[in-house]
Amino acid sequence: MPEPVETTNPDGVDYGWVMQVTFVTTILVGAPIVALLSTSVDLPTWGARAEFAVRVGAVVWLVVALAVFAYAKRRQSD
């Protein structure tokens, strides 16, 4: 059996895991939030729609990233 190409043995928080979980969770949670919030806002152009999605998505990403990092930090302590 050949050796794995890459292995990891993180000391502390596994930032790769945090980034992957943040990415997936942001898409799963953020898309419905952006869609729901966009129904109450007038977005006449594609530019306005994209700007709205980026602004709301950035807030969702930040909240998710902090929550995932806090979870990883808490689980690392256990």
Side-chain angles (χ1 to χ4, degrees):
M1 183 99 181
E3 289 294 316
V5 176
E6 292 183 23
T7 59
T8 182
N9 187 11
D11 293 326
V13 175
D14 183 359
Y15 293 104
W17 180 86
V18 170
M19 290 189 319
Q20 290 174 356
V21 171
T22 298
F23 177 77
V24 171
T25 306
T26 300
I27 291 172
L28 293 175
V29 172
I33 289 173
V34 169
L36 183 66
L37 292 176
S38 70
T39 59
S40 63
V41 179
D42 183 33
L43 301 168
T45 65
W46 282 105
R49 293 174 187 157
E51 184 179 343
F52 178 81
V54 168
R55 286 183 179 190
V56 174
V59 173
V60 171
W61 174 82
L62 183 63
V63 170
V64 168
L66 292 173
V68 170
F69 179 78
Y71 173 80
K73 188 79 168 169
R74 188 173 350 108
R75 294 296 293 171
Q76 174 229 348
S77 300
D78 293 346

